[in-house]
CSV table of all heavy atoms in Angstrom, one decimal:
chain,number,residue,atom,x,y,z
B,203,PRO,N,-1.6,-3.4,20.7
B,203,PRO,CA,-2.7,-4.0,19.9
B,203,PRO,C,-3.8,-4.5,20.9
B,203,PRO,O,-3.7,-4.6,22.0
B,203,PRO,CB,-2.0,-5.5,19.6
B,203,PRO,CG,-0.6,-5.2,19.9
B,203,PRO,CD,-0.3,-4.1,20.7
B,204,PHE,N,-5.0,-4.3,20.3
B,204,PHE,CA,-6.3,-4.5,21.1
B,204,PHE,C,-6.5,-5.9,21.5
B,204,PHE,O,-6.2,-6.8,20.7
B,204,PHE,CB,-7.4,-4.0,20.2
B,204,PHE,CG,-8.8,-4.2,20.8
B,204,PHE,CD1,-9.2,-3.3,21.8
B,204,PHE,CD2,-9.5,-5.3,20.5
B,204,PHE,CE1,-10.5,-3.5,22.4
B,204,PHE,CE2,-10.8,-5.5,21.0
B,204,PHE,CZ,-11.2,-4.5,22.0
B,205,SER,N,-6.9,-6.2,22.7
B,205,SER,CA,-7.4,-7.5,23.0
B,205,SER,C,-8.6,-7.4,23.9
B,205,SER,O,-8.7,-6.5,24.7
B,205,SER,CB,-6.3,-8.4,23.6
B,205,SER,OG,-5.8,-7.7,24.7
B,206,PHE,N,-9.6,-8.4,23.8
B,206,PHE,CA,-10.7,-8.4,24.7
B,206,PHE,C,-10.3,-8.6,26.1
B,206,PHE,O,-9.5,-9.6,26.3
B,206,PHE,CB,-11.7,-9.4,24.1
B,206,PHE,CG,-12.3,-8.9,22.8
B,206,PHE,CD1,-12.0,-9.7,21.7
B,206,PHE,CD2,-13.2,-7.9,22.7
B,206,PHE,CE1,-12.4,-9.3,20.4
B,206,PHE,CE2,-13.7,-7.6,21.5
B,206,PHE,CZ,-13.4,-8.3,20.4
B,207,PRO,N,-10.9,-8.1,27.0
B,207,PRO,CA,-10.7,-8.6,28.4
B,207,PRO,C,-11.4,-10.0,28.5
B,207,PRO,O,-12.3,-10.3,27.8
B,207,PRO,CB,-11.6,-7.7,29.2
B,207,PRO,CG,-12.2,-6.7,28.3
B,207,PRO,CD,-11.9,-7.0,27.0
B,208,PRO,N,-10.8,-10.8,29.3
B,208,PRO,CA,-11.2,-12.2,29.4
B,208,PRO,C,-12.7,-12.3,29.8
B,208,PRO,O,-13.1,-11.5,30.6
B,208,PRO,CB,-10.3,-12.8,30.5
B,208,PRO,CG,-9.2,-12.0,30.7
B,208,PRO,CD,-9.5,-10.6,30.1
B,209,ASP,N,-13.4,-13.3,29.3
B,209,ASP,CA,-14.8,-13.6,29.7
B,209,ASP,C,-15.7,-12.4,29.4
B,209,ASP,O,-16.8,-12.5,30.0
B,209,ASP,CB,-14.7,-14.0,31.2
B,209,ASP,CG,-14.1,-15.2,31.4
B,209,ASP,OD1,-14.2,-16.2,30.6
B,209,ASP,OD2,-13.5,-15.5,32.5
B,210,CYS,N,-15.6,-11.6,28.6
B,210,CYS,CA,-16.6,-10.6,28.2
B,210,CYS,C,-16.6,-10.4,26.8
B,210,CYS,O,-16.7,-9.3,26.2
B,210,CYS,CB,-16.5,-9.4,28.9
B,210,CYS,SG,-15.1,-8.3,28.4
B,211,ILE,N,-16.3,-11.6,26.0
B,211,ILE,CA,-16.2,-11.5,24.5
B,211,ILE,C,-17.8,-11.5,24.1
B,211,ILE,O,-18.5,-12.5,24.3
B,211,ILE,CB,-15.6,-12.7,24.0
B,211,ILE,CG1,-14.4,-13.2,24.8
B,211,ILE,CG2,-15.1,-12.4,22.5
B,211,ILE,CD1,-14.7,-14.6,25.5
B,212,LYS,N,-18.0,-10.6,23.2
B,212,LYS,CA,-19.4,-10.6,22.7
B,212,LYS,C,-19.3,-11.0,21.2
B,212,LYS,O,-18.2,-10.6,20.5
B,212,LYS,CB,-20.0,-9.1,22.8
B,212,LYS,CG,-20.3,-8.8,24.2
B,212,LYS,CD,-21.4,-7.7,24.0
B,212,LYS,CE,-21.1,-6.6,25.1
B,212,LYS,NZ,-20.1,-5.6,24.7
B,213,LYS,N,-20.3,-11.7,20.7
B,213,LYS,CA,-20.3,-12.1,19.3
B,213,LYS,C,-20.1,-10.8,18.3
B,213,LYS,O,-19.3,-11.1,17.4
B,213,LYS,CB,-21.5,-12.8,19.0
B,213,LYS,CG,-21.5,-13.5,17.7
B,213,LYS,CD,-22.8,-14.1,17.3
B,213,LYS,CE,-22.8,-14.4,15.8
B,213,LYS,NZ,-24.1,-14.7,15.4
B,214,GLN,N,-20.7,-9.8,18.6
B,214,GLN,CA,-20.6,-8.5,17.8
B,214,GLN,C,-19.1,-8.1,17.6
B,214,GLN,O,-18.7,-7.7,16.6
B,214,GLN,CB,-21.4,-7.4,18.1
B,214,GLN,CG,-22.8,-7.6,18.2
B,214,GLN,CD,-23.2,-7.8,19.7
B,214,GLN,OE1,-23.0,-8.9,20.2
B,214,GLN,NE2,-23.8,-6.9,20.4
B,215,ASP,N,-18.5,-8.2,18.7
B,215,ASP,CA,-17.2,-7.7,18.8
B,215,ASP,C,-16.2,-8.6,18.0
B,215,ASP,O,-15.4,-8.1,17.2
B,215,ASP,CB,-16.6,-7.6,20.3
B,215,ASP,CG,-17.3,-6.4,21.0
B,215,ASP,OD1,-17.8,-5.6,20.5
B,215,ASP,OD2,-17.4,-6.7,22.3
B,216,ILE,N,-16.4,-9.9,18.2
B,216,ILE,CA,-15.5,-10.9,17.3
B,216,ILE,C,-15.8,-10.7,15.9
B,216,ILE,O,-14.9,-10.5,15.1
B,216,ILE,CB,-16.0,-12.3,17.8
B,216,ILE,CG1,-15.5,-12.6,19.3
B,216,ILE,CG2,-15.2,-13.3,16.8
B,216,ILE,CD1,-15.8,-14.0,19.6
B,217,ASN,N,-17.1,-10.5,15.6
B,217,ASN,CA,-17.4,-10.4,14.2
B,217,ASN,C,-16.8,-9.1,13.7
B,217,ASN,O,-16.3,-9.0,12.4
B,217,ASN,CB,-19.0,-10.1,14.0
B,217,ASN,CG,-19.6,-11.6,13.9
B,217,ASN,OD1,-18.9,-12.5,13.6
B,217,ASN,ND2,-21.0,-11.6,14.1
B,218,LYS,N,-16.8,-8.0,14.4
B,218,LYS,CA,-16.3,-6.7,13.9
B,218,LYS,C,-14.9,-6.8,13.7
B,218,LYS,O,-14.3,-6.3,12.6
B,218,LYS,CB,-16.6,-5.7,15.0
B,218,LYS,CG,-16.8,-4.3,14.5
B,218,LYS,CD,-17.4,-3.4,15.5
B,218,LYS,CE,-16.4,-2.2,15.8
B,218,LYS,NZ,-17.0,-1.4,16.9
B,219,CYS,N,-14.2,-7.6,14.5
B,219,CYS,CA,-12.7,-7.8,14.4
B,219,CYS,C,-12.4,-8.6,13.2
B,219,CYS,O,-11.5,-8.3,12.4
B,219,CYS,CB,-12.2,-8.4,15.6
B,219,CYS,SG,-12.0,-7.1,16.8
B,220,LEU,N,-13.2,-9.7,13.1
B,220,LEU,CA,-13.0,-10.6,11.9
B,220,LEU,C,-13.2,-9.8,10.7
B,220,LEU,O,-12.4,-10.1,9.7
B,220,LEU,CB,-13.7,-11.9,12.1
B,220,LEU,CG,-13.4,-12.8,13.2
B,220,LEU,CD1,-14.3,-13.9,13.4
B,220,LEU,CD2,-12.0,-13.4,13.0
B,221,SER,N,-14.4,-9.1,10.6
B,221,SER,CA,-14.7,-8.6,9.2
B,221,SER,C,-13.7,-7.5,8.9
B,221,SER,O,-13.6,-7.1,7.8
B,221,SER,CB,-16.1,-8.1,9.3
B,221,SER,OG,-16.2,-6.9,10.2
B,222,SER,N,-13.0,-7.0,9.9
B,222,SER,CA,-12.0,-5.9,9.5
B,222,SER,C,-10.6,-6.5,9.4
B,222,SER,O,-9.7,-5.8,9.2
B,222,SER,CB,-11.9,-4.8,10.4
B,222,SER,OG,-11.8,-5.2,11.7
B,223,THR,N,-10.4,-7.8,9.5
B,223,THR,CA,-9.2,-8.3,9.3
B,223,THR,C,-9.1,-9.4,8.2
B,223,THR,O,-8.1,-9.4,7.4
B,223,THR,CB,-8.5,-9.0,10.6
B,223,THR,OG1,-9.5,-9.9,11.1
B,223,THR,CG2,-8.3,-8.0,11.6
B,224,LEU,N,-10.0,-10.1,8.2
B,224,LEU,CA,-10.0,-11.2,7.1
B,224,LEU,C,-10.4,-10.7,5.8
B,224,LEU,O,-11.3,-9.6,5.7
B,224,LEU,CB,-11.1,-12.3,7.4
B,224,LEU,CG,-10.6,-13.1,8.8
B,224,LEU,CD1,-11.8,-14.1,9.1
B,224,LEU,CD2,-9.2,-13.8,8.6
B,225,LYS,N,-10.1,-11.3,4.7
B,225,LYS,CA,-10.5,-10.9,3.3
B,225,LYS,C,-12.0,-11.2,3.3
B,225,LYS,O,-12.4,-12.3,4.0
B,225,LYS,CB,-9.8,-11.7,2.3
B,225,LYS,CG,-8.4,-11.1,2.2
B,225,LYS,CD,-7.7,-11.7,0.9
B,225,LYS,CE,-6.3,-11.1,0.9
B,225,LYS,NZ,-5.3,-12.2,0.4
B,226,PRO,N,-12.8,-10.6,2.5
B,226,PRO,CA,-14.3,-10.8,2.5
B,226,PRO,C,-14.7,-12.3,2.3
B,226,PRO,O,-15.5,-12.8,3.0
B,226,PRO,CB,-14.7,-10.0,1.4
B,226,PRO,CG,-13.8,-8.9,1.1
B,226,PRO,CD,-12.5,-9.4,1.6
Side-chain angles (χ1 to χ4, degrees):
F204 175 77
S205 56
F206 291 105
D209 292 328
C210 71
I211 326 115
K212 288 201 224 85
K213 188 184 162 191
Q214 303 96 284
D215 293 334
I216 295 183
N217 276 343
K218 209 161 124 190
C219 284
L220 290 173
S221 70
S222 59
T223 50
L224 297 174
K225 291 196 178 134

